[in-house]
Amino acid sequence: MEANMTELIKVVVFMKDSGRITSVGTTCLPELLETPEQGVLTHITADIENDYVHQGEILHKGDRPSSAHIFDYTTKQWVDPRTIDDLKASLFVQVKDARIAYSTAPIEYAGRLVDADLTAQSNINNKLLELTACRALGVDMNPDLMLWRDADNLTVTFSTMDDMERWLHGLVAKIAERGTQCYAWSWNIKAAIEAATTVDEFPTISM
């Protein structure tokens, strides 16, 4: 009986030296895809990104540990090609991002959670300037403007300009103190990163 030359056969094409899968699909003539460098498996399919061929079998690479890892077809394992200096540079960026995120997160103050991001800090400074300007002009601030909204959208009200000024100055001091603590943490952890000679010596990036 003659072979059906129109039958589409599933194929997996791979590199014989490494097992790297180069393509999957269907063909009527799978034998034409075979070369000295390239092998073909028939009646089977595979995932190009997540599988490889070993001794004629489709095997899964396993979970990729990180986006930086590449699959080593010789050892059949995921490896991180970055040098220790590359990893240190990446960790320095993580430390900076963590410092900024923590130092600008809402802060506990006077029994409330208060916004402390850059916009909030600018608003605090502007309000203090407004209070200073009112005093310089010898006028009282409009009582309807002597209020503040916390991070839970609850309103803080003040009966006098002095009360509001003291409250805002206390908030500035609290934010500044936390900012200094964040910088101190980043300096210490960067020093530990710089001193590391192996990946195992890297500290955990956590505030």
Side-chain angles (χ1 to χ4, degrees):
M1 181 182 294
E2 294 186 0
N4 184 355
M5 302 299 291
T6 62
E7 178 188 2
L8 290 176
I9 300 172
K10 292 179 180 179
V11 294
V12 173
V13 183
F14 63 96
M15 302 305 297
K16 293 179 179 178
D17 61 346
S18 65
R20 181 175 63 86
I21 297 173
T22 58
S23 66
V24 296
T26 58
T27 180
C28 298
L29 300 169
E31 62 273 14
L32 297 182
L33 301 175
E34 186 90 27
T35 69
E37 298 81 21
Q38 187 171 271
V40 180
L41 298 180
T42 59
H43 304 287
I44 196 170
T45 189
D47 185 322
I48 293 179
E49 295 297 327
N50 298 309
D51 297 334
Y52 66 99
V53 177
H54 181 64
Q55 296 180 348
E57 293 186 35
I58 303 293
L59 299 179
H60 189 61
K61 294 178 181 178
D63 293 335
R64 190 179 188 181
S66 77
S67 60
H69 280 69
I70 60 174
F71 191 75
D72 186 330
Y73 287 96
T74 301
T75 63
K76 308 300 189 256
Q77 293 180 340
W78 289 103
V79 296
D80 191 334
R82 295 174 294 179
T83 66
I84 193 166
D85 287 337
D86 293 334
L87 292 170
K88 285 182 178 182
S90 177
L91 287 175
F92 287 149
V93 172
Q94 291 181 43
V95 170
K96 179 181 178 181
D97 290 345
R99 175 184 61 77
I100 292 173
Y102 187 73
S103 64
T104 56
I107 191 169
E108 290 281 353
Y109 173 66
R112 295 173 177 270
L113 192 63
V114 185
D115 289 322
D117 58 18
L118 296 180
T119 298
Q121 292 179 38
S122 176
N123 291 338
I124 294 165
N125 290 330
N126 288 337
K127 198 64 181 181
L128 285 169
L129 287 173
E130 183 183 356
L131 286 163
T132 300
C134 286
R135 284 203 171 85
L137 295 171
V139 298
D140 292 329
M141 180 178 286
N142 185 336
D144 293 338
L145 302 180
M146 290 196 297
L147 49 83
W148 202 259
R149 296 282 277 184
D150 65 17
D152 296 316
N153 286 324
L154 299 176
T155 303
V156 186
T157 58
F158 307 93
S159 57
T160 67
M161 291 169 58
D162 286 343
D163 288 343
M164 185 172 197
E165 191 169 43
R166 277 192 296 270
W167 193 89
L168 290 175
H169 276 143
L171 179 55
V172 169
K174 189 74 173 179
I175 294 172
E177 179 184 35
R178 185 180 66 177
T180 301
Q181 291 171 343
C182 290
Y183 269 109
W185 167 82
S186 69
W187 297 330
N188 290 333
I189 202 162
K190 282 181 178 179
I193 293 169
E194 190 60 50
T197 58
T198 67
V199 173
D200 291 337
E201 294 176 1
F202 284 147
T204 301
I205 311 300
S206 177
M207 292 290 288

